[in-house]
Structures are given as structure tokens and as C-alpha cells.
Amino acid sequence: MLLLMIAVLLMSSCKSTEPEPTRPVTLPELKAPDTDEQPDAEEPASVTQDVDSLLQSMSLDEKIGQLFVTPAYGRFTNDKDPGLLRLKRMIENYHLGGIIFMQGDVYGQAMLTNTLQSISEIPLWISQDMEFGAAMRVSGTTRLTPAMGVAATGNTENAYLKGKITAREAKALGVHQIFAPVLDVNNNPENPVINVRSFSADPEMVAEYGHYMIQGIQSEGILATAKHFPGHGDTDTDSHLALPIINHDFARIDSLELLPFRVNINNGLKSVMSAHIAYPNMSPNGDLPGTMDRFILNDILRDSLNFEGLIVTDGLEMKGISDNYSPGEAVIRSLKAGADMMLISPDAMGAIDEIQKAVERGNLSEDRIDQSVRKILQLKKEHGAFDHPGVELDQLAHQINTPEYQRVADRIARQSVTLLKDSKDLLPIREVDHQKILAIALADDESGSTGSSFARELKKYHDDVDFFVLDRRTGLEEKAEILDAADEADLILIGSFIIVRSHQPIQVEPEQLQFLRQLISRPCPSVLIAFGNPYVVRDLPDADSHIMAWSSNINQVRQTVPSLFGASDITGNLPIYIPGMYEIGDGIQKQQSIARYDSPESVGMSSEKMLEIDNVMQEAINDSVFPGGVVGVMKDGALVWSEGYGYHDYEKTRSVESDDIYDLASLTKVIGTTTSIMKLVDEGLIDVNDPVHKYIPEFDTDEKRDITIEQLLIHTSGLPAFQVYVDELKTREEIIEAIRNEPLINRPGEEYVYSDLGFILLAEIVEEVSGLRIDQFVRSRLFYPMGMKTTVYNPKNAGRWISNRIPPTEIDSTYRDGTVQAEAHDERAWFMDGVAGHAGLFSSATDIAKYAYMLLNDGNYGGREYLSQETIQTFTGKRSPINQRAYGFDRKSEGFSTAGELTGPNSFGHTGFTGTSLWIDPDEEIAIILLTNRTFPNRSYGSSISRIRAKIADTVMEALDDE
């Protein structure tokens, strides 16, 4: 009869059994609705009739089994594994109603779900804790910021998107019910179990953010479960270890703890989890846990709050229950109190037996069991358990941890970072101010690996970081080493990885705290970042800066560290009180001021499309356009692509790395010389309309007297493109003297002739005005303070740490009789001691991205203005009356352009003879960098470099999201 009724249910379903075709999730689908989504309409009466018919056909033991949800681990197991065999026995012999998956991985859980569903006569109800996203329990899925961090963003849409993404991944895994969100109000800083799991200490904020997360979950047809009713926030006892007691009366509980539940029940909440907490001053039932208290679950939840949905017990294996009640008694009391679904009984088989005997003795009615089983069956029907009980394994790769999901997760994590104190104005950290950093990961474990991601991310933004882990393993010798490092450091960063764990304290251990206080008493400033328990700042109030990061997971760390250096905005506001220190709403705002390292998806680009760059570069390498190169792409302030391709030379013994350094050739004209001129214009020391003879007396002739700095910048001075010179002139002084006296080839202002000579003279003007040779000027005024450490003239003089990273540019048989490597490729620049206005500069893609960010950020970098917005706009706009050129910079021309077809008309940049280029599209806020040594082994190679530049640019632009 049971099998017959199941068949009727399947046939009566109005849904197709064919899976919907998979398609990419587009960003608009992830946006929160403009208005609140309404609860689903009630199911047709026929569904209720089907459920009632099935219920009537079930035996008592079948109905009792439906009440139980037992734990499983979603990992691969052999089919003879005892744990798997026990699960199967529970399903087949005890008619188990559901599974709660604990830890696992995507395919392990999906395959086990299919296995267990295939042997269950009534489809299993699959549930899972997913407060921090599916990754809270399933590795390989999307991990999202904890609730408190979401509230810190100040954007309820983030709560909605968190719920929606979590529900989509849950659905893909065959999960029907999510045990989230937490609606507890975390108004007790000593709470050892809720903490960042709560949205806030403000009940209205908890209600609002909880509402949006519930709407996000339920919009995907997944059951959200609010917990822990009537409130677990104001306790200093972990219910996993003992039974907490809250002594507040009903008036207090009603005005604070119940508010989030009341609001969300009124807005369509369909499931609630009970709390294993006693409320002796509110309930007439004394110290009885809320899970077993009829006054709590029936009189308040059902009668007073009009809740008609599913009530789930918290885990019945928790010590607050299991130390005081037998498994059977715990279930019987919970049922009598009004609970429907029994979660994680420590002895489900024994409990089922006790329930059967209680019914036989008349201590528990079968009607009471029927009420809950009917509700469970109804949910299974409504949520498609009968229609599609299994998981489509071949669809998981399209539905889990998509780039779009990760983009949202990253953005929420960045927006959650909250700065509460910066008494010495330490943020953003600038390497020029703090040249040596001591970083410490504070941990409450013994792994020795805690904080490794913290160290790794710090080293992306700072070259000199000493890192130590302070955990239970740290001995006196290592502590002495830390103190010695502190004496040498300019800044101490303490990352606290003290997090909420069951059976673990959340406070800093006394011995560690004593050491930390000794550490920050040192003269150098200190920053405390809370990657977990936010209340840890109470232990180190004297740290000069306090930052909340909310979670210790790798993704949160990756999105927090950039903010320390100004690579992302800091916009968070505190959603809790920290007694005696901070109030709800506190937060110091900081704007992004340097480029961030991130993924293409973080700025709306497609990694899949960007991978086409690999093909373009490999084809060029195969065709011997160049032996190798680096492509860098910066968009919206993030360096989202920095990849090395090929080799240093055609021997193919040394691969190109993304941070390799290349001879920029004529990119020197803009990054070095033009920028120096811009700086002097900003300072009022020169004007582009100044006559050149004001600075170079040799131009005070009838022929040259009217030539201006502007004409040198736009190549209309009348000077020739170049002169060899070096066949006869072998010193810097001789070459400069010859250029100063070089005859014109046409009248000034009349024709465009791209001239190296004009830019050599511009560099001389920089020296004349500033008193510094151009390499010293641009290094001291721009490159060094901006952290552009690899941007240098004469890299051999800088040391092997730079020169060894530079591919050769040519085998020169004319002037140098050998391989040209780590010295200026251009002969004139080389004979000018490697320093000239037209060539000689070396740099990496990372440094050029910093330079491009400065230009796109109105001249600001790292919180400091290097150029004015007005000057940048003047120099990068169209300035030549003859062509499209700007001052110093080239601009995208009509017809073919090395900037490609797809960059915008306002794009500006430059190319270099060695095979380098930089193009910036200010409208899209994108910079495209190509570095190669296409002149190796000689200049006859690389003739198609212009086509490659254009193809790279178009490939990058095609990766932009059309939305």
C-alpha cells in the first residue's frame, strides 16, 4: 500500500521529471528584488489529500521514523563501510525521514545523497547547516561572510544575495532545508557560541537582515530555518557543553529576543529551530530546555506569534539535552512541547523504540505524531522531494562555486571590513613609511599553519614581512625571536584567528595575552585585525588600530589584507556594541588608493574569455614574434591579469614569470619623461607654452626661437626623428650637445615627425628646472614613494635581484659585441649612461599597473597626490592640431591602432620598440600592458608585434561583461 501511495504522489505531480536545461547564471538574476517577495501560495487541496492518503497508509513505526534526521558525512566511502551500512539500515529498517549532512565535499555528498535516496521508500528530507554559505559544510562550494560581517556592510541586498547563492548551491546538492539564518540577538559579548553567527546586537537590524536572507533562500524554493527560538544571544554558556539558563522575564524577551522572529514569521518564515536554553523567569516550567517546553514552543511560538510552520529541534546530542534526558525521553518531551523534526538524536534506534512503547502505553498519542509527520510529508511534496529525489551529478560543475557567485562573495567580504580605530593614521600602510613589518597570527590551536594565508597576502603588498604564529605550541625561544623581530620592525600586524568553535573558548589565553601586551608596548605602532571573534579588541585596547574582518576563512583574509594597504575601500560599520569601546554604527571610512590584486570576475570580466590571451601569446611565441612576454590587465583599480608566457630567449631554458622586468624602450617617453614634465607643470615650474630656449640656450636662434615645450611633446618641433650620432659621438655630453644644435628638418608646428631627440631635450629641461637628472627626479618624486621598486634606469646598478629578472633584448654585433641584457637596448640611451628622455627605463607589469592606476585615480596613489586631475586630463586629451596625439602620450588613431578596435576613442598610451605597450581606456577604467623582448635575437624579429598588441587589446575588451 505504501509503495502504491508513493506512485500516486509521483503521478499527481504537475512538474516535469525532466531536468531543466543548464544555462549560465547571469548577474541580473542575482540582484535582490525591488520589493519583498511574497510567501509562496498555498498548495492545491489535491496535494494535501495525497499527503493525507499516504499518511493513512503508513504504519506507526514508519511514521515515527519520519520524525528523525540523522547525521551523515558527504565523503567517499566504500560500500562496505560500517558507517554507510548503519545509515542504510536506519533508512531501510527504521524508515528514517531525513539526513543532515555534516562535513563533506561536492561529489562525495551528491553521490551519497543519490545512494541513500535510492533505497528509501519515501524520499529523504536533506538538510544542512549553511550559515556561512554551503562551504560551511561542503568543501568546493562558495563560502560567504558570516552574518555579522554581512550586517557590517550596511547593505541588506548582501543578505539577500547570500541567501540566494547558498540556496542555489544547496538545491544543486539535493538539499531541501537550510538551517539558517541565525536570528539570535548577540547582545552578550561573552556568548561563546553565537558571536559572528548573529547579524547584530540590535534586534531590528537582526530582523531586517534576517528577513532579506530568508527571502533569498526561499526565492530558490529552499526551506530557510531561523534559529534559535526564543533566542540564544544573551548567554555565556555553550549549549553544546551544558544547559544555558537565561533569567530574563517575558517582557524583556518579548521586546528584544522575540522581535526578529516575530517580524519574520509575519513575513512568511516557514521553519524555526528551537534553543536548548531554559528560561525560568519567563516559563512556568522552570529549568526545562526551550526545546522541551510547551510554553515556549506552543504558547509563545504557535499561539502568540501565530507560527504554523515546521519546528526543528537543535541537535539532541548536545550536552544541554543528552546529559539530562535519555534519547527517547528527549524526543517524547520535544514532541509534546510542539517540535516536529528531531535533529541528531544520539541514539535514534533506541529513541524510536521508546516512542513506540510510549504510544502503546498511552503516554504519547499517535495523532500527535501524525501532526508532525503530515507537516514533514507536506514539505517533501512542496519542495520536490518526490519529483527529483536525487542529484544530477553532471550538472554540478555548472551550478557550484561559479565565477558569479565568487564575485559576489568577494565583494561582500571586502565591504564587511570595518575600521574602528586608527589613532596614528597608520592606514593605508605605505611601504615608504613602514619598510619592515612584523606579522603575527594569533591562534588557539596547535596546527602551526594558522594564518598562512594572512602572511601570503601581506607579501603581495609589502616586500619585507616577518611572519610568526603565536599558538599553543609557541615556546620561550620563539617568543624571544618574535620580540627581537619587533625591535627591528616599523609596524606590528596582529591577525587574531580566535574563532567560534564548539567546545572551545573564544577569549585569548592568559599566557598569550600577557605576551601580546608586552609586544605592543614596543615603540613601533601596532594594528589588530580580528579574523574571528570581534570582541578580542577588548583584550588589546592599546593597539593603535582596530579592524574587524569577521572570519578566518581564506577568502575573507584575501579580501581584507588589501584594505590594510589601501587597495580596497573600507566602508564597514559596527553592528554590535563593544562595551566601553565602540557603539553600533561606529566605523572609519577609507577610500581605495592603490591597485588591488584580484580576479577578472571581481570587476565584471570573464576569466574564461581572458584565457584567450594564452592562445594569442602562444601563437606569437610559436611564430617567433618574441620568445616570451608578460600581459597585465588592470580594471577598476584591480590588477586582474598578470601572466608570464614563453621564455627569456629561444633556448627555452628559463620561463617568463609574471613579475619579470623588461626594457620599456619608448614607454620611457611617457612613464618617465612626460610624467616628470606633468609634475613640474603641476608645481608651476614650467608651462607647456614656454619656449624651449628659456631652458636650452642653443634654441635661442631665428630657426628655433618659437619652438615650445608643447611642440616637443606632440612631435611638431621640426626636429628629425633621430640621428645615429653614436658612430662618432661616444659620450653623454657629446650626444646632448649635438642634439641641442641639431638643425630642423621642417618649420616648427607644421608637420608631425615622431622624434626621440625632442624627448631627450625634455629630459634635459627636467634637469635644468629641478636640479636632478631625470632618473633621480622621477625615482625620488614618483617611483620610490609609489612602491614602483622595479622601475629603474640602469638596472645592473640596482643589483642582481633586479637584473636577473630581465630577459635579453638583442645580440648586438655593432656596438657592444654581445648580448644586451639589463642595459638600455637603444644605442643612444646606452651611450648616454643609460639615462635618456626617450629610452632607458625598465619596469614590470605590476609597477606599470600602479602607474596606470595613479593616472586613472586622478593622480592619487597610496593616499598621496602625485599629479593633479586637471593636468592628467590636459596631457591625455587630444592636443595635436595635426593628428590624434596627446602631450607625450599617443592616442587611439582612426583605422588600425595597436590599441585594437574595441577600446574607446579616448584611449591613450604608448608603445616601445622592444615590443612593449601600455594602453589605457579611461572610460572603461582599464589598462592593458604588454611587455616582450621582440627584438631578440635581432631587430628583424617581431615584425608583426603591432598586430599582436591590437589582438591582445581586443581580447581583453571582449572579456568585459556586456551587462
Side-chain angles (χ1 to χ4, degrees):
M1 176 64 76
L2 179 60
L3 292 174
L4 177 61
M5 293 309 303
I6 294 171
V8 170
L9 277 169
L10 290 171
M11 288 187 293
S12 66
S13 174
C14 62
K15 298 178 182 178
S16 168
T17 58
E18 291 296 319
E20 294 183 1
T22 301
R23 61 186 179 86
V25 177
T26 59
L27 292 175
E29 290 180 298
L30 284 176
K31 291 181 180 177
D34 293 330
T35 58
D36 292 343
E37 297 184 13
Q38 298 301 313
D40 295 339
E42 293 184 3
E43 287 285 317
S46 60
V47 173
T48 302
Q49 292 171 358
D50 291 338
V51 169
D52 286 341
S53 298
L54 176 58
L55 182 63
Q56 292 169 13
S57 72
M58 295 169 66
S59 64
L60 176 61
D61 62 335
E62 288 171 339
K63 289 187 285 189
I64 293 172
Q66 287 297 302
L67 303 173
F68 285 80
V69 176
T70 201
Y73 289 83
R75 304 187 183 101
F76 171 80
T77 54
N78 182 273
D79 61 4
K80 301 301 182 185
D81 178 80
L84 177 59
L85 295 176
R86 289 191 183 99
L87 268 176
K88 289 181 175 181
R89 182 178 64 182
M90 285 291 297
I91 294 168
E92 293 173 335
N93 298 342
Y94 290 85
H95 317 290
L96 194 68
I99 296 290
I100 174 172
F101 276 105
M102 308 304 282
Q103 299 293 338
D105 59 79
V106 171
Y107 285 102
Q109 179 168 318
M111 292 179 70
L112 184 55
T113 295
N114 286 350
T115 297
L116 299 181
Q117 290 285 22
S118 69
I119 64 172
S120 182
E121 290 186 355
I122 295 178
L124 294 165
W125 181 254
I126 309 297
S127 59
Q128 202 151 25
D129 260 329
M130 291 186 174
E131 295 172 20
F132 310 155
M136 180 177 178
R137 297 294 183 186
V138 188
S139 63
T141 56
T142 306
R143 181 174 286 274
L144 292 133
T145 299
M148 198 172 285
V150 172
T153 70
N155 185 355
T156 54
E157 181 181 31
N158 289 333
Y160 177 88
L161 295 177
K162 176 180 178 178
K164 195 171 189 71
I165 290 170
T166 302
R168 284 187 175 182
E169 294 193 333
K171 183 189 290 186
L173 289 165
V175 174
H176 306 107
Q177 180 176 18
I178 293 173
F179 296 130
V182 170
L183 292 188
D184 301 316
V185 181
N186 200 76
N187 49 4
N188 187 338
E190 307 302 329
N191 194 316
V193 67
I194 300 302
N195 204 274
V196 296
R197 299 166 63 194
S198 165
F199 286 107
S200 175
D202 177 1
E204 293 185 355
M205 189 178 292
V206 173
E208 183 179 23
Y209 281 83
H211 166 70
Y212 277 94
M213 185 170 176
I214 290 166
Q215 293 300 311
I217 294 169
Q218 293 185 166
S219 70
E220 294 296 320
I222 299 297
L223 184 66
T225 302
K227 54 190 188 183
H228 306 81
F229 188 86
H232 205 318
D234 194 5
T235 175
D236 57 6
T237 302
D238 186 346
S239 54
H240 295 89
L241 306 178
L243 179 66
I245 296 175
I246 293 180
N247 289 308
H248 299 307
D249 59 18
F250 178 78
R252 151 57 200 268
I253 299 291
D254 184 52
S255 65
L256 199 150
E257 277 82 2
L258 292 185
L259 188 150
F261 290 97
R262 181 185 298 110
V263 167
N264 283 285
I265 287 169
N266 291 339
N267 282 286
L269 176 65
K270 297 178 180 180
S271 178
V272 167
M273 178 181 285
S274 65
H276 298 333
I277 299 177
Y279 302 84
N281 292 333
M282 178 176 73
S283 170
N285 296 317
D287 293 341
L288 197 65
T291 297
M292 301 176 178
D293 191 339
R294 183 173 176 80
F295 179 81
I296 299 291
L297 299 187
N298 189 74
D299 296 7
I300 296 178
L301 180 56
R302 293 210 185 278
D303 292 347
S304 178
L305 300 185
N306 298 313
F307 179 68
E308 298 178 353
L310 182 77
I311 300 177
V312 185
T313 71
D314 204 344
L316 296 174
E317 90 292 2
M318 295 163 63
K319 296 297 184 180
I321 299 294
S322 62
D323 279 356
N324 301 294
Y325 305 94
S326 72
E329 184 183 7
V331 172
I332 292 168
R333 284 178 174 266
S334 299
L335 278 169
K336 287 183 174 181
D340 301 301
M341 186 174 284
M342 307 298 138
L343 203 63
I344 317 180
S345 170
D347 179 10
M349 291 183 287
I352 289 171
D353 180 65
E354 287 190 55
I355 294 170
Q356 289 174 328
K357 291 175 179 176
V359 173
E360 292 169 1
R361 291 194 301 264
N363 292 339
L364 180 67
S365 72
E366 189 169 352
D367 284 344
R368 173 64 195 91
I369 294 172
D370 286 352
Q371 291 174 22
S372 293
V373 175
R374 179 180 291 106
K375 197 176 296 183
I376 292 167
L377 294 176
Q378 186 91 8
L379 286 169
K380 289 184 178 183
K381 176 62 179 172
E382 291 173 3
H383 290 267
F386 286 94
D387 305 323
H388 306 291
V391 179
E392 296 286 342
L393 297 178
D394 61 344
Q395 300 300 307
L396 292 174
H398 308 291
Q399 299 169 332
I400 300 292
N401 198 18
T402 69
E404 290 83 2
Y405 296 169
Q406 193 59 53
R407 174 186 178 184
V408 174
D410 289 348
R411 178 181 55 76
I412 293 173
R414 284 197 303 276
Q415 292 177 357
S416 74
V417 177
T418 305
L419 176 62
L420 296 175
K421 178 184 179 183
D422 194 22
S423 60
K424 294 184 177 178
D425 201 24
L426 298 174
L427 270 61
I429 299 167
R430 298 173 67 240
E431 194 164 1
V432 66
D433 298 326
H434 304 288
Q435 296 183 13
K436 190 174 186 62
I437 288 178
L438 168 62
I440 296 169
L442 172 63
D444 55 0
D445 58 26
E446 299 180 2
S447 71
S449 61
T450 299
S452 57
S453 60
F454 180 46
R456 187 165 54 249
E457 294 303 312
L458 287 173
K459 290 174 182 178
K460 288 182 180 179
Y461 294 92
H462 198 289
D463 285 339
D464 196 348
V465 178
D466 283 341
F467 175 70
F468 295 88
V469 177
L470 179 63
D471 61 11
R472 293 173 183 169
R473 300 164 58 254
T474 308
L476 293 176
E477 184 176 343
E478 189 171 2
K479 287 180 179 178
E481 190 178 350
I482 294 173
L483 292 175
D484 288 342
D487 290 334
E488 299 295 325
D490 300 305
L491 181 66
I492 299 172
L493 300 180
I494 302 170
S496 171
F497 291 84
I498 307 293
I499 62 174
V500 179
R501 293 189 186 97
S502 178
H503 301 71
Q504 296 278 354
I506 60 171
Q507 293 80 20
V508 180
E509 294 184 356
E511 185 179 343
Q512 291 179 327
L513 185 56
Q514 181 182 2
F515 176 76
L516 288 171
R517 287 173 177 168
Q518 180 185 0
L519 184 69
I520 67 171
S521 68
R522 294 295 200 270
C524 68
S526 58
V527 177
L528 174 62
I529 310 106
F531 290 109
N533 175 24
Y535 300 102
V536 74
V537 296
R538 296 181 302 166
D539 293 327
L540 292 172
D542 294 332
D544 297 301
S545 297
H546 286 154
I547 300 169
M548 299 298 181
W550 314 110
S551 173
S552 63
N553 77 76
I554 291 175
N555 189 59
Q556 193 77 21
V557 173
R558 285 175 180 162
Q559 300 304 323
T560 299
V561 168
S563 69
L564 305 180
F565 297 90
S568 58
D569 295 339
I570 299 179
T571 58
N573 291 291
L574 190 67
I576 54 174
Y577 301 100
I578 299 182
M581 297 183 70
Y582 305 113
E583 299 294 319
I584 291 178
D586 282 354
I588 301 169
Q589 313 297 302
K590 298 274 187 177
Q591 286 190 331
Q592 180 180 352
S593 58
I594 70 170
R596 183 177 73 254
Y597 301 100
D598 217 322
S599 67
E601 279 69 27
S602 71
V603 293
M605 300 182 76
S606 165
S607 291
E608 183 177 3
K609 291 180 180 178
M610 290 284 280
L611 286 171
E612 181 60 28
I613 295 172
D614 295 2
N615 295 331
V616 176
M617 290 295 287
Q618 190 58 52
E619 288 176 7
I621 291 167
N622 294 344
D623 292 342
S624 298
V625 179
F626 41 71
V630 176
V631 176
V633 178
M634 189 188 68
K635 171 84 169 87
D636 296 341
L639 183 60
V640 299
W641 197 265
S642 182
E643 298 287 340
Y645 300 90
Y647 299 87
H648 277 214
D649 55 39
Y650 289 106
E651 295 295 321
K652 298 185 177 181
T653 58
R654 183 171 179 184
S655 298
V656 171
E657 303 293 336
S658 62
D659 61 350
D660 279 346
I661 300 164
Y662 281 78
D663 184 332
L664 299 185
S666 285
L667 274 181
T668 304
K669 290 183 173 73
V670 291
I671 296 176
T673 308
T674 300
T675 307
S676 297
I677 295 293
M678 294 166 76
K679 188 75 174 167
L680 294 175
V681 168
D682 262 344
E683 294 174 359
L685 297 177
I686 63 173
D687 188 289
V688 294
N689 295 313
D690 285 345
V692 174
H693 74 76
K694 180 178 178 180
Y695 308 101
I696 299 178
E698 290 86 346
F699 271 56
D700 192 9
T701 66
D702 291 342
E703 181 186 37
K704 297 181 179 178
R705 187 173 294 114
D706 293 333
I707 297 175
T708 64
I709 290 176
E710 177 185 54
Q711 289 170 336
L712 294 181
L713 288 166
I714 60 176
H715 301 279
T716 60
S717 67
L719 286 169
F722 67 92
Q723 294 289 9
V724 175
Y725 293 134
V726 294
D727 286 341
E728 297 179 1
L729 307 178
K730 303 296 185 183
T731 67
R732 177 183 182 85
E733 291 74 18
E734 289 176 319
I735 294 171
I736 291 174
E737 179 66 20
I739 296 172
R740 287 170 175 258
N741 292 284
E742 182 66 36
L744 302 185
I745 60 173
N746 50 55
R747 290 174 58 84
E750 291 187 354
E751 292 190 32
Y752 167 78
V753 177
Y754 178 79
S755 175
D756 286 352
L757 306 187
F759 269 77
I760 292 173
L761 292 176
L762 285 169
E764 293 305 299
I765 292 172
V766 171
E767 182 173 351
E768 178 70 24
V769 173
S770 70
L772 297 172
R773 200 169 66 173
I774 191 165
D775 58 332
Q776 298 168 335
F777 178 84
V778 77
R779 175 80 176 160
S780 62
R781 306 292 292 277
L782 186 79
F783 299 156
Y784 179 73
M786 282 183 61
M788 295 172 63
K789 293 185 177 182
T790 65
T791 307
V792 295
Y793 296 84
N794 287 316
K796 277 188 177 178
N797 297 338
R800 294 179 63 83
W801 73 276
I802 281 186
S803 61
N804 282 350
R805 294 158 59 187
I806 301 175
T809 50
E810 189 172 12
I811 299 174
D812 181 2
S813 59
T814 304
Y815 300 105
R816 285 170 269 192
D817 195 26
T819 300
V820 178
Q821 191 266 337
E823 58 186 32
H825 173 263
D826 181 272
E827 294 88 354
R828 284 164 298 282
W830 184 65
F831 277 105
M832 292 175 66
D833 302 328
V835 179
H838 71 298
L841 193 60
F842 289 70
S843 190
S844 64
T846 301
D847 271 12
I848 296 173
K850 293 177 182 179
Y851 172 79
Y853 178 84
M854 182 270 294
L855 294 179
L856 289 169
N857 195 39
D858 299 331
N860 293 285
Y861 196 85
R864 176 174 168 181
E865 183 178 89
Y866 292 90
L867 299 171
S868 71
Q869 179 184 11
E870 179 183 4
T871 295
I872 292 171
Q873 291 176 343
T874 298
F875 270 70
T876 59
K878 181 180 180 298
R879 291 291 171 261
S880 173
I882 296 173
N883 55 28
Q884 288 291 110
R885 290 194 73 95
Y887 287 160
F889 295 93
D890 195 3
R891 283 172 55 87
K892 184 177 180 179
S893 57
E894 297 179 2
F896 175 80
S897 170
T898 58
E901 296 181 3
L902 303 180
T903 52
N906 295 317
S907 297
F908 62 91
H910 213 280
T911 61
F913 185 71
T914 52
T916 60
S917 63
L918 166 65
W919 282 104
I920 298 173
D921 184 338
D923 299 321
E924 290 287 353
E925 292 189 57
I926 195 166
I928 304 165
I929 302 157
L930 175 63
L931 303 178
T932 78
N933 55 336
R934 70 99 188 168
T935 51
F936 187 85
N938 60 64
R939 303 175 193 205
S940 64
Y941 281 70
S943 59
S944 60
I945 186 64
S946 294
R947 180 180 60 81
I948 302 302
R949 289 168 173 146
K951 198 167 184 179
I952 290 288
D954 283 340
T955 300
V956 170
M957 299 304 289
E958 286 171 352
L960 292 173
D961 193 329
D962 293 336
E963 298 296 328

